[in-house]
PDB file of all heavy atoms in Angstrom:
ATOM      1  N   THR E  22      90.322  96.578 115.376  1.00 89.00           N
ATOM      2  CA  THR E  22      90.442  95.530 114.355  1.00 89.00           C
ATOM      3  C   THR E  22      90.281  96.170 112.955  1.00 89.00           C
ATOM      4  O   THR E  22      91.063  95.918 112.053  1.00 89.00           O
ATOM      5  CB  THR E  22      89.419  94.446 114.561  1.00 89.00           C
ATOM      6  OG1 THR E  22      89.672  93.802 115.852  1.00 89.00           O
ATOM      7  CG2 THR E  22      89.526  93.418 113.462  1.00 89.00           C
ATOM      8  N   PHE E  23      89.225  97.007 112.822  1.00 90.00           N
ATOM      9  CA  PHE E  23      88.962  97.579 111.495  1.00 90.00           C
ATOM     10  C   PHE E  23      89.960  98.657 111.122  1.00 90.00           C
ATOM     11  O   PHE E  23      90.324  98.781 109.964  1.00 90.00           O
ATOM     12  CB  PHE E  23      87.516  98.127 111.456  1.00 90.00           C
ATOM     13  CG  PHE E  23      86.504  97.010 111.297  1.00 90.00           C
ATOM     14  CD1 PHE E  23      85.675  96.751 112.378  1.00 90.00           C
ATOM     15  CD2 PHE E  23      86.365  96.360 110.114  1.00 90.00           C
ATOM     16  CE1 PHE E  23      84.701  95.740 112.297  1.00 90.00           C
ATOM     17  CE2 PHE E  23      85.366  95.328 110.007  1.00 90.00           C
ATOM     18  CZ  PHE E  23      84.576  95.038 111.082  1.00 90.00           C
ATOM     19  N   VAL E  24      90.459  99.359 112.105  1.00 90.00           N
ATOM     20  CA  VAL E  24      91.479 100.402 111.854  1.00 90.00           C
ATOM     21  C   VAL E  24      92.786  99.731 111.383  1.00 90.00           C
ATOM     22  O   VAL E  24      93.394 100.153 110.354  1.00 90.00           O
ATOM     23  CB  VAL E  24      91.729 101.266 113.105  1.00 90.00           C
ATOM     24  CG1 VAL E  24      92.961 102.147 112.876  1.00 90.00           C
ATOM     25  CG2 VAL E  24      90.482 102.160 113.348  1.00 90.00           C
ATOM     26  N   ALA E  25      93.162  98.661 112.056  1.00 90.00           N
ATOM     27  CA  ALA E  25      94.393  97.928 111.636  1.00 90.00           C
ATOM     28  C   ALA E  25      94.226  97.310 110.285  1.00 90.00           C
ATOM     29  O   ALA E  25      95.127  97.313 109.416  1.00 90.00           O
ATOM     30  CB  ALA E  25      94.754  96.876 112.698  1.00 90.00           C
ATOM     31  N   LEU E  26      93.039  96.724 110.001  1.00 91.00           N
ATOM     32  CA  LEU E  26      92.824  96.106 108.665  1.00 91.00           C
ATOM     33  C   LEU E  26      92.861  97.156 107.602  1.00 91.00           C
ATOM     34  O   LEU E  26      93.404  96.856 106.493  1.00 91.00           O
ATOM     35  CB  LEU E  26      91.467  95.377 108.703  1.00 91.00           C
ATOM     36  CG  LEU E  26      91.006  94.749 107.354  1.00 91.00           C
ATOM     37  CD1 LEU E  26      91.978  93.614 106.951  1.00 91.00           C
ATOM     38  CD2 LEU E  26      89.605  94.208 107.502  1.00 91.00           C
ATOM     39  N   PHE E  27      92.272  98.326 107.849  1.00 92.00           N
ATOM     40  CA  PHE E  27      92.313  99.352 106.772  1.00 92.00           C
ATOM     41  C   PHE E  27      93.741  99.790 106.412  1.00 92.00           C
ATOM     42  O   PHE E  27      94.073  99.872 105.281  1.00 92.00           O
ATOM     43  CB  PHE E  27      91.543 100.565 107.285  1.00 92.00           C
ATOM     44  CG  PHE E  27      91.559 101.726 106.350  1.00 92.00           C
ATOM     45  CD1 PHE E  27      90.890 101.784 105.191  1.00 92.00           C
ATOM     46  CD2 PHE E  27      92.308 102.870 106.727  1.00 92.00           C
ATOM     47  CE1 PHE E  27      90.914 102.854 104.297  1.00 92.00           C
ATOM     48  CE2 PHE E  27      92.447 103.943 105.887  1.00 92.00           C
ATOM     49  CZ  PHE E  27      91.725 103.946 104.699  1.00 92.00           C
ATOM     50  N   PHE E  28      94.540 100.076 107.429  1.00 90.00           N
ATOM     51  CA  PHE E  28      95.928 100.514 107.174  1.00 90.00           C
ATOM     52  C   PHE E  28      96.781  99.388 106.600  1.00 90.00           C
ATOM     53  O   PHE E  28      97.642  99.669 105.737  1.00 90.00           O
ATOM     54  CB  PHE E  28      96.527 101.063 108.427  1.00 90.00           C
ATOM     55  CG  PHE E  28      96.103 102.453 108.773  1.00 90.00           C
ATOM     56  CD1 PHE E  28      95.220 102.722 109.780  1.00 90.00           C
ATOM     57  CD2 PHE E  28      96.623 103.546 108.052  1.00 90.00           C
ATOM     58  CE1 PHE E  28      94.813 104.015 110.110  1.00 90.00           C
ATOM     59  CE2 PHE E  28      96.265 104.795 108.338  1.00 90.00           C
ATOM     60  CZ  PHE E  28      95.356 105.082 109.382  1.00 90.00           C
ATOM     61  N   ASN E  29      96.549  98.144 106.996  1.00 89.00           N
ATOM     62  CA  ASN E  29      97.296  97.081 106.410  1.00 89.00           C
ATOM     63  C   ASN E  29      97.016  96.889 104.897  1.00 89.00           C
ATOM     64  O   ASN E  29      97.902  96.708 104.124  1.00 89.00           O
ATOM     65  CB  ASN E  29      97.005  95.793 107.147  1.00 89.00           C
ATOM     66  CG  ASN E  29      97.548  95.787 108.568  1.00 89.00           C
ATOM     67  OD1 ASN E  29      98.420  96.577 108.933  1.00 89.00           O
ATOM     68  ND2 ASN E  29      97.095  94.901 109.414  1.00 89.00           N
ATOM     69  N   LEU E  30      95.710  96.889 104.589  1.00 90.00           N
ATOM     70  CA  LEU E  30      95.363  96.721 103.143  1.00 90.00           C
ATOM     71  C   LEU E  30      95.792  97.934 102.343  1.00 90.00           C
ATOM     72  O   LEU E  30      96.173  97.815 101.161  1.00 90.00           O
ATOM     73  CB  LEU E  30      93.843  96.512 103.019  1.00 90.00           C
ATOM     74  CG  LEU E  30      93.287  95.203 103.631  1.00 90.00           C
ATOM     75  CD1 LEU E  30      91.818  95.123 103.442  1.00 90.00           C
ATOM     76  CD2 LEU E  30      94.020  94.004 102.994  1.00 90.00           C
ATOM     77  N   LEU E  31      95.707  99.140 102.968  1.00 90.00           N
ATOM     78  CA  LEU E  31      96.140 100.320 102.214  1.00 90.00           C
ATOM     79  C   LEU E  31      97.648 100.276 101.921  1.00 90.00           C
ATOM     80  O   LEU E  31      98.085 100.601 100.822  1.00 90.00           O
ATOM     81  CB  LEU E  31      95.834 101.553 103.048  1.00 90.00           C
ATOM     82  CG  LEU E  31      96.237 102.920 102.443  1.00 90.00           C
ATOM     83  CD1 LEU E  31      95.423 103.165 101.155  1.00 90.00           C
ATOM     84  CD2 LEU E  31      96.044 104.042 103.474  1.00 90.00           C
ATOM     85  N   THR E  32      98.442  99.768 102.872  1.00 88.00           N
ATOM     86  CA  THR E  32      99.887  99.667 102.691  1.00 88.00           C
ATOM     87  C   THR E  32     100.195  98.613 101.667  1.00 88.00           C
ATOM     88  O   THR E  32     101.133  98.797 100.821  1.00 88.00           O
ATOM     89  CB  THR E  32     100.559  99.331 104.017  1.00 88.00           C
ATOM     90  OG1 THR E  32     100.189 100.292 104.977  1.00 88.00           O
ATOM     91  CG2 THR E  32     102.083  99.302 103.859  1.00 88.00           C
ATOM     92  N   LEU E  33      99.504  97.463 101.707  1.00 86.00           N
ATOM     93  CA  LEU E  33      99.853  96.376 100.788  1.00 86.00           C
ATOM     94  C   LEU E  33      99.418  96.618  99.343  1.00 86.00           C
ATOM     95  O   LEU E  33     100.137  96.195  98.418  1.00 86.00           O
ATOM     96  CB  LEU E  33      99.202  95.045 101.286  1.00 86.00           C
ATOM     97  CG  LEU E  33      99.741  94.515 102.654  1.00 86.00           C
ATOM     98  CD1 LEU E  33      98.896  93.357 103.081  1.00 86.00           C
ATOM     99  CD2 LEU E  33     101.212  94.070 102.480  1.00 86.00           C
ATOM    100  N   LEU E  34      98.291  97.274  99.174  1.00 86.00           N
ATOM    101  CA  LEU E  34      97.764  97.399  97.823  1.00 86.00           C
ATOM    102  C   LEU E  34      98.094  98.702  97.146  1.00 86.00           C
ATOM    103  O   LEU E  34      98.093  98.818  95.880  1.00 86.00           O
ATOM    104  CB  LEU E  34      96.204  97.337  97.902  1.00 86.00           C
ATOM    105  CG  LEU E  34      95.657  95.965  98.439  1.00 86.00           C
ATOM    106  CD1 LEU E  34      94.165  96.015  98.474  1.00 86.00           C
ATOM    107  CD2 LEU E  34      96.185  94.790  97.579  1.00 86.00           C
ATOM    108  N   SER E  35      98.422  99.737  97.903  1.00 87.00           N
ATOM    109  CA  SER E  35      98.760 101.013  97.298  1.00 87.00           C
ATOM    110  C   SER E  35     100.244 101.198  96.967  1.00 87.00           C
ATOM    111  O   SER E  35     100.582 101.955  96.066  1.00 87.00           O
ATOM    112  CB  SER E  35      98.331 102.193  98.205  1.00 87.00           C
ATOM    113  OG  SER E  35      99.103 102.124  99.452  1.00 87.00           O
ATOM    114  N   VAL E  36     101.089 100.450  97.658  1.00 86.00           N
ATOM    115  CA  VAL E  36     102.546 100.581  97.402  1.00 86.00           C
ATOM    116  C   VAL E  36     102.995  99.336  96.604  1.00 86.00           C
ATOM    117  O   VAL E  36     102.676  98.202  97.009  1.00 86.00           O
ATOM    118  CB  VAL E  36     103.286 100.695  98.746  1.00 86.00           C
ATOM    119  CG1 VAL E  36     104.836 100.768  98.485  1.00 86.00           C
ATOM    120  CG2 VAL E  36     102.827 101.911  99.518  1.00 86.00           C
ATOM    121  N   LYS E  37     103.730  99.585  95.548  1.00 86.00           N
ATOM    122  CA  LYS E  37     104.273  98.502  94.767  1.00 86.00           C
ATOM    123  C   LYS E  37     105.615  98.060  95.360  1.00 86.00           C
ATOM    124  O   LYS E  37     106.641  98.699  95.193  1.00 86.00           O
ATOM    125  CB  LYS E  37     104.477  98.898  93.306  1.00 86.00           C
ATOM    126  CG  LYS E  37     104.893  97.826  92.409  1.00 86.00           C
ATOM    127  CD  LYS E  37     105.057  98.307  90.920  1.00 86.00           C
ATOM    128  CE  LYS E  37     105.466  97.136  90.028  1.00 86.00           C
ATOM    129  NZ  LYS E  37     105.658  97.609  88.631  1.00 86.00           N
ATOM    130  N   ASN E  38     105.537  96.961  96.121  1.00 86.00           N
ATOM    131  CA  ASN E  38     106.689  96.488  96.817  1.00 86.00           C
ATOM    132  C   ASN E  38     107.286  95.330  95.988  1.00 86.00           C
ATOM    133  O   ASN E  38     106.814  94.219  96.021  1.00 86.00           O
ATOM    134  CB  ASN E  38     106.315  95.982  98.214  1.00 86.00           C
ATOM    135  CG  ASN E  38     107.557  95.849  99.135  1.00 86.00           C
ATOM    136  OD1 ASN E  38     108.623  95.615  98.680  1.00 86.00           O
ATOM    137  ND2 ASN E  38     107.277  96.091 100.416  1.00 86.00           N
ATOM    138  N   LYS E  39     108.327  95.648  95.227  1.00 88.00           N
ATOM    139  CA  LYS E  39     108.915  94.660  94.338  1.00 88.00           C
ATOM    140  C   LYS E  39     109.521  93.477  95.052  1.00 88.00           C
ATOM    141  O   LYS E  39     109.253  92.315  94.612  1.00 88.00           O
ATOM    142  CB  LYS E  39     109.930  95.382  93.417  1.00 88.00           C
ATOM    143  CG  LYS E  39     110.662  94.422  92.504  1.00 88.00           C
ATOM    144  CD  LYS E  39     111.763  95.156  91.689  1.00 88.00           C
ATOM    145  CE  LYS E  39     112.542  94.208  90.876  1.00 88.00           C
ATOM    146  NZ  LYS E  39     113.645  94.935  90.121  1.00 88.00           N
ATOM    147  N   PRO E  40     110.317  93.608  96.094  1.00 90.00           N
ATOM    148  CA  PRO E  40     110.915  92.461  96.768  1.00 90.00           C
ATOM    149  C   PRO E  40     109.879  91.431  97.329  1.00 90.00           C
ATOM    150  O   PRO E  40     109.956  90.242  97.077  1.00 90.00           O
ATOM    151  CB  PRO E  40     111.828  93.029  97.865  1.00 90.00           C
ATOM    152  CG  PRO E  40     112.109  94.406  97.399  1.00 90.00           C
ATOM    153  CD  PRO E  40     110.863  94.859  96.693  1.00 90.00           C
ATOM    154  N   PHE E  41     108.906  91.952  98.066  1.00 90.00           N
ATOM    155  CA  PHE E  41     107.904  91.054  98.641  1.00 90.00           C
ATOM    156  C   PHE E  41     106.942  90.473  97.625  1.00 90.00           C
ATOM    157  O   PHE E  41     106.488  89.378  97.807  1.00 90.00           O
ATOM    158  CB  PHE E  41     107.084  91.813  99.754  1.00 90.00           C
ATOM    159  CG  PHE E  41     107.774  91.849 101.076  1.00 90.00           C
ATOM    160  CD1 PHE E  41     108.430  92.929 101.509  1.00 90.00           C
ATOM    161  CD2 PHE E  41     107.782  90.739 101.852  1.00 90.00           C
ATOM    162  CE1 PHE E  41     109.105  92.982 102.755  1.00 90.00           C
ATOM    163  CE2 PHE E  41     108.394  90.754 103.124  1.00 90.00           C
ATOM    164  CZ  PHE E  41     109.090  91.864 103.540  1.00 90.00           C
ATOM    165  N   ALA E  42     106.707  91.235  96.539  1.00 88.00           N
ATOM    166  CA  ALA E  42     105.875  90.664  95.436  1.00 88.00           C
ATOM    167  C   ALA E  42     106.602  89.495  94.792  1.00 88.00           C
ATOM    168  O   ALA E  42     105.988  88.496  94.492  1.00 88.00           O
ATOM    169  CB  ALA E  42     105.550  91.757  94.458  1.00 88.00           C
ATOM    170  N   TYR E  43     107.887  89.571  94.560  1.00 87.00           N
ATOM    171  CA  TYR E  43     108.618  88.525  93.986  1.00 87.00           C
ATOM    172  C   TYR E  43     108.718  87.296  94.910  1.00 87.00           C
ATOM    173  O   TYR E  43     108.555  86.176  94.484  1.00 87.00           O
ATOM    174  CB  TYR E  43     110.012  89.015  93.609  1.00 87.00           C
ATOM    175  CG  TYR E  43     110.892  87.956  92.910  1.00 87.00           C
ATOM    176  CD1 TYR E  43     110.840  87.865  91.507  1.00 87.00           C
ATOM    177  CD2 TYR E  43     111.718  87.112  93.660  1.00 87.00           C
ATOM    178  CE1 TYR E  43     111.639  86.862  90.895  1.00 87.00           C
ATOM    179  CE2 TYR E  43     112.485  86.159  93.017  1.00 87.00           C
ATOM    180  CZ  TYR E  43     112.439  86.017  91.629  1.00 87.00           C
ATOM    181  OH  TYR E  43     113.136  85.078  90.977  1.00 87.00           O
ATOM    182  N   VAL E  44     108.974  87.555  96.216  1.00 89.00           N
ATOM    183  CA  VAL E  44     109.058  86.454  97.143  1.00 89.00           C
ATOM    184  C   VAL E  44     107.758  85.739  97.317  1.00 89.00           C
ATOM    185  O   VAL E  44     107.740  84.501  97.426  1.00 89.00           O
ATOM    186  CB  VAL E  44     109.606  86.984  98.519  1.00 89.00           C
ATOM    187  CG1 VAL E  44     109.545  85.891  99.612  1.00 89.00           C
ATOM    188  CG2 VAL E  44     111.011  87.512  98.345  1.00 89.00           C
ATOM    189  N   SER E  45     106.660  86.446  97.337  1.00 86.00           N
ATOM    190  CA  SER E  45     105.376  85.808  97.487  1.00 86.00           C
ATOM    191  C   SER E  45     105.020  84.931  96.335  1.00 86.00           C
ATOM    192  O   SER E  45     104.262  83.952  96.500  1.00 86.00           O
ATOM    193  CB  SER E  45     104.288  86.891  97.670  1.00 86.00           C
ATOM    194  OG  SER E  45     104.216  87.728  96.552  1.00 86.00           O
ATOM    195  N   GLU E  46     105.539  85.205  95.143  1.00 84.00           N
ATOM    196  CA  GLU E  46     105.275  84.368  94.037  1.00 84.00           C
ATOM    197  C   GLU E  46     106.280  83.225  93.889  1.00 84.00           C
ATOM    198  O   GLU E  46     105.902  82.174  93.422  1.00 84.00           O
ATOM    199  CB  GLU E  46     105.291  85.215  92.734  1.00 84.00           C
ATOM    200  CG  GLU E  46     104.154  86.296  92.649  1.00 84.00           C
ATOM    201  CD  GLU E  46     104.262  87.131  91.400  1.00 84.00           C
ATOM    202  OE1 GLU E  46     105.244  86.909  90.623  1.00 84.00           O
ATOM    203  OE2 GLU E  46     103.438  88.023  91.245  1.00 84.00           O
ATOM    204  N   ALA E  47     107.566  83.506  94.254  1.00 81.00           N
ATOM    205  CA  ALA E  47     108.552  82.452  94.058  1.00 81.00           C
ATOM    206  C   ALA E  47     108.577  81.454  95.195  1.00 81.00           C
ATOM    207  O   ALA E  47     108.972  80.293  94.946  1.00 81.00           O
ATOM    208  CB  ALA E  47     109.930  83.122  93.899  1.00 81.00           C
ATOM    209  N   ALA E  48     108.250  81.854  96.374  1.00 83.00           N
ATOM    210  CA  ALA E  48     108.281  80.940  97.516  1.00 83.00           C
ATOM    211  C   ALA E  48     107.166  79.920  97.467  1.00 83.00           C
ATOM    212  O   ALA E  48     106.150  80.122  96.758  1.00 83.00           O
ATOM    213  CB  ALA E  48     108.248  81.709  98.832  1.00 83.00           C
ATOM    214  N   SER E  49     107.330  78.868  98.192  1.00 81.00           N
ATOM    215  CA  SER E  49     106.321  77.824  98.242  1.00 81.00           C
ATOM    216  C   SER E  49     105.069  78.330  98.986  1.00 81.00           C
ATOM    217  O   SER E  49     105.181  79.249  99.802  1.00 81.00           O
ATOM    218  CB  SER E  49     106.869  76.525  98.877  1.00 81.00           C
ATOM    219  OG  SER E  49     107.345  76.834 100.190  1.00 81.00           O
ATOM    220  N   SER E  50     103.971  77.653  98.760  1.00 79.00           N
ATOM    221  CA  SER E  50     102.731  78.116  99.400  1.00 79.00           C
ATOM    222  C   SER E  50     102.685  77.675 100.870  1.00 79.00           C
ATOM    223  O   SER E  50     103.236  76.681 101.246  1.00 79.00           O
ATOM    224  CB  SER E  50     101.505  77.440  98.688  1.00 79.00           C
ATOM    225  OG  SER E  50     101.527  77.831  97.335  1.00 79.00           O
ATOM    226  N   SER E  51     102.076  78.522 101.679  1.00 80.00           N
ATOM    227  CA  SER E  51     101.899  78.205 103.117  1.00 80.00           C
ATOM    228  C   SER E  51     100.689  77.297 103.236  1.00 80.00           C
ATOM    229  O   SER E  51      99.887  77.115 102.385  1.00 80.00           O
ATOM    230  CB  SER E  51     101.717  79.499 103.906  1.00 80.00           C
ATOM    231  OG  SER E  51     100.549  80.161 103.510  1.00 80.00           O
ATOM    232  N   TRP E  52     100.557  76.720 104.463  1.00 78.00           N
ATOM    233  CA  TRP E  52      99.444  75.814 104.735  1.00 78.00           C
ATOM    234  C   TRP E  52      98.106  76.584 104.618  1.00 78.00           C
ATOM    235  O   TRP E  52      97.092  76.028 104.270  1.00 78.00           O
ATOM    236  CB  TRP E  52      99.581  75.085 106.091  1.00 78.00           C
ATOM    237  CG  TRP E  52      99.619  76.063 107.294  1.00 78.00           C
ATOM    238  CD1 TRP E  52     100.736  76.673 107.797  1.00 78.00           C
ATOM    239  CD2 TRP E  52      98.472  76.467 108.007  1.00 78.00           C
ATOM    240  NE1 TRP E  52     100.336  77.453 108.855  1.00 78.00           N
ATOM    241  CE2 TRP E  52      98.997  77.369 109.016  1.00 78.00           C
ATOM    242  CE3 TRP E  52      97.164  76.228 107.982  1.00 78.00           C
ATOM    243  CZ2 TRP E  52      98.157  77.931 109.975  1.00 78.00           C
ATOM    244  CZ3 TRP E  52      96.305  76.844 108.884  1.00 78.00           C
ATOM    245  CH2 TRP E  52      96.782  77.652 109.893  1.00 78.00           C
ATOM    246  N   LEU E  53      98.131  77.868 105.026  1.00 81.00           N
ATOM    247  CA  LEU E  53      96.913  78.666 104.947  1.00 81.00           C
ATOM    248  C   LEU E  53      96.452  78.879 103.486  1.00 81.00           C
ATOM    249  O   LEU E  53      95.295  78.808 103.126  1.00 81.00           O
ATOM    250  CB  LEU E  53      97.074  80.018 105.664  1.00 81.00           C
ATOM    251  CG  LEU E  53      95.884  80.886 105.726  1.00 81.00           C
ATOM    252  CD1 LEU E  53      94.778  80.319 106.472  1.00 81.00           C
ATOM    253  CD2 LEU E  53      96.309  82.269 106.369  1.00 81.00           C
ATOM    254  N   GLN E  54      97.453  79.160 102.600  1.00 77.00           N
ATOM    255  CA  GLN E  54      97.157  79.290 101.218  1.00 77.00           C
ATOM    256  C   GLN E  54      96.639  78.027 100.603  1.00 77.00           C
ATOM    257  O   GLN E  54      95.757  78.058  99.741  1.00 77.00           O
ATOM    258  CB  GLN E  54      98.384  79.783 100.474  1.00 77.00           C
ATOM    259  CG  GLN E  54      98.749  81.242 100.643  1.00 77.00           C
ATOM    260  CD  GLN E  54     100.010  81.652  99.886  1.00 77.00           C
ATOM    261  OE1 GLN E  54     101.100  81.122 100.178  1.00 77.00           O
ATOM    262  NE2 GLN E  54      99.815  82.470  98.891  1.00 77.00           N
ATOM    263  N   GLU E  55      97.191  76.869 101.000  1.00 78.00           N
ATOM    264  CA  GLU E  55      96.712  75.641 100.464  1.00 78.00           C
ATOM    265  C   GLU E  55      95.295  75.339 100.819  1.00 78.00           C
ATOM    266  O   GLU E  55      94.450  74.916  99.957  1.00 78.00           O
ATOM    267  CB  GLU E  55      97.637  74.504 100.964  1.00 78.00           C
ATOM    268  CG  GLU E  55      99.058  74.549 100.437  1.00 78.00           C
ATOM    269  CD  GLU E  55      99.166  74.358  98.946  1.00 78.00           C
ATOM    270  OE1 GLU E  55      98.206  73.753  98.353  1.00 78.00           O
ATOM    271  OE2 GLU E  55     100.154  74.810  98.327  1.00 78.00           O
ATOM    272  N   HIS E  56      94.901  75.573 102.074  1.00 76.00           N
ATOM    273  CA  HIS E  56      93.522  75.323 102.469  1.00 76.00           C
ATOM    274  C   HIS E  56      92.567  76.290 101.808  1.00 76.00           C
ATOM    275  O   HIS E  56      91.425  75.899 101.370  1.00 76.00           O
ATOM    276  CB  HIS E  56      93.418  75.457 104.033  1.00 76.00           C
ATOM    277  CG  HIS E  56      94.063  74.275 104.729  1.00 76.00           C
ATOM    278  ND1 HIS E  56      93.547  72.972 104.676  1.00 76.00           N
ATOM    279  CD2 HIS E  56      95.156  74.246 105.550  1.00 76.00           C
ATOM    280  CE1 HIS E  56      94.348  72.233 105.417  1.00 76.00           C
ATOM    281  NE2 HIS E  56      95.306  72.941 105.968  1.00 76.00           N
ATOM    282  N   VAL E  57      92.970  77.575 101.726  1.00 77.00           N
ATOM    283  CA  VAL E  57      92.079  78.504 101.070  1.00 77.00           C
ATOM    284  C   VAL E  57      91.949  78.234  99.579  1.00 77.00           C
ATOM    285  O   VAL E  57      90.897  78.438  98.957  1.00 77.00           O
ATOM    286  CB  VAL E  57      92.619  79.968 101.289  1.00 77.00           C
ATOM    287  CG1 VAL E  57      91.826  80.999 100.534  1.00 77.00           C
ATOM    288  CG2 VAL E  57      92.568  80.315 102.778  1.00 77.00           C
ATOM    289  N   ALA E  58      93.028  77.683  98.948  1.00 74.00           N
ATOM    290  CA  ALA E  58      92.951  77.387  97.529  1.00 74.00           C
ATOM    291  C   ALA E  58      91.999  76.223  97.309  1.00 74.00           C
ATOM    292  O   ALA E  58      91.222  76.243  96.292  1.00 74.00           O
ATOM    293  CB  ALA E  58      94.334  77.006  97.038  1.00 74.00           C
ATOM    294  N   ASP E  59      91.914  75.269  98.204  1.00 73.00           N
ATOM    295  CA  ASP E  59      90.936  74.194  98.084  1.00 73.00           C
ATOM    296  C   ASP E  59      89.507  74.694  98.175  1.00 73.00           C
ATOM    297  O   ASP E  59      88.606  74.311  97.406  1.00 73.00           O
ATOM    298  CB  ASP E  59      91.175  73.149  99.159  1.00 73.00           C
ATOM    299  CG  ASP E  59      92.501  72.412  98.972  1.00 73.00           C
ATOM    300  OD1 ASP E  59      93.052  72.464  97.840  1.00 73.00           O
ATOM    301  OD2 ASP E  59      93.040  71.863  99.965  1.00 73.00           O
ATOM    302  N   LEU E  60      89.292  75.599  99.153  1.00 75.00           N
ATOM    303  CA  LEU E  60      87.946  76.215  99.245  1.00 75.00           C
ATOM    304  C   LEU E  60      87.623  77.110  98.028  1.00 75.00           C
ATOM    305  O   LEU E  60      86.475  77.145  97.596  1.00 75.00           O
ATOM    306  CB  LEU E  60      87.844  77.065 100.498  1.00 75.00           C
ATOM    307  CG  LEU E  60      87.984  76.289 101.878  1.00 75.00           C
ATOM    308  CD1 LEU E  60      88.015  77.237 103.051  1.00 75.00           C
ATOM    309  CD2 LEU E  60      86.859  75.232 101.983  1.00 75.00           C
ATOM    310  N   SER E  61      88.650  77.767  97.493  1.00 72.00           N
ATOM    311  CA  SER E  61      88.408  78.604  96.340  1.00 72.00           C
ATOM    312  C   SER E  61      88.046  77.860  95.106  1.00 72.00           C
ATOM    313  O   SER E  61      87.174  78.265  94.306  1.00 72.00           O
ATOM    314  CB  SER E  61      89.646  79.510  96.077  1.00 72.00           C
ATOM    315  OG  SER E  61      89.941  80.244  97.158  1.00 72.00           O
ATOM    316  N   ARG E  62      88.602  76.671  94.921  1.00 72.00           N
ATOM    317  CA  ARG E  62      88.282  75.833  93.762  1.00 72.00           C
ATOM    318  C   ARG E  62      86.794  75.326  93.848  1.00 72.00           C
ATOM    319  O   ARG E  62      86.071  75.335  92.844  1.00 72.00           O
ATOM    320  CB  ARG E  62      89.188  74.641  93.710  1.00 72.00           C
ATOM    321  CG  ARG E  62      90.618  74.941  93.368  1.00 72.00           C
ATOM    322  CD  ARG E  62      91.445  73.694  93.118  1.00 72.00           C
ATOM    323  NE  ARG E  62      92.842  73.998  92.939  1.00 72.00           N
ATOM    324  CZ  ARG E  62      93.799  73.979  93.912  1.00 72.00           C
ATOM    325  NH1 ARG E  62      93.349  73.641  95.165  1.00 72.00           N
ATOM    326  NH2 ARG E  62      95.001  74.251  93.714  1.00 72.00           N
TER     327      ARG E  62
END
């Protein structure tokens, strides 16, 4: 679990992925994002 989490975060945060960064901002929020946003507020 920790090995997979390390490599996943390293790939997402170290590489500037322009297409997925644009899609993640332009697309609508998922139900997981909505629930986490309520907890974050």
Side-chain angles (χ1 to χ4, degrees):
T22 300
F23 285 108
V24 169
L26 177 62
F27 173 75
F28 279 105
N29 290 345
L30 293 180
L31 180 65
T32 304
L33 293 173
L34 299 179
S35 62
V36 179
K37 186 179 180 180
N38 198 331
K39 177 184 174 182
F41 276 103
Y43 183 88
V44 172
S45 62
E46 295 178 359
S49 59
S50 302
S51 62
W52 61 271
L53 182 62
Q54 285 181 293
E55 294 293 338
H56 289 293
V57 173
D59 294 338
L60 296 176
S61 300
R62 293 188 187 93

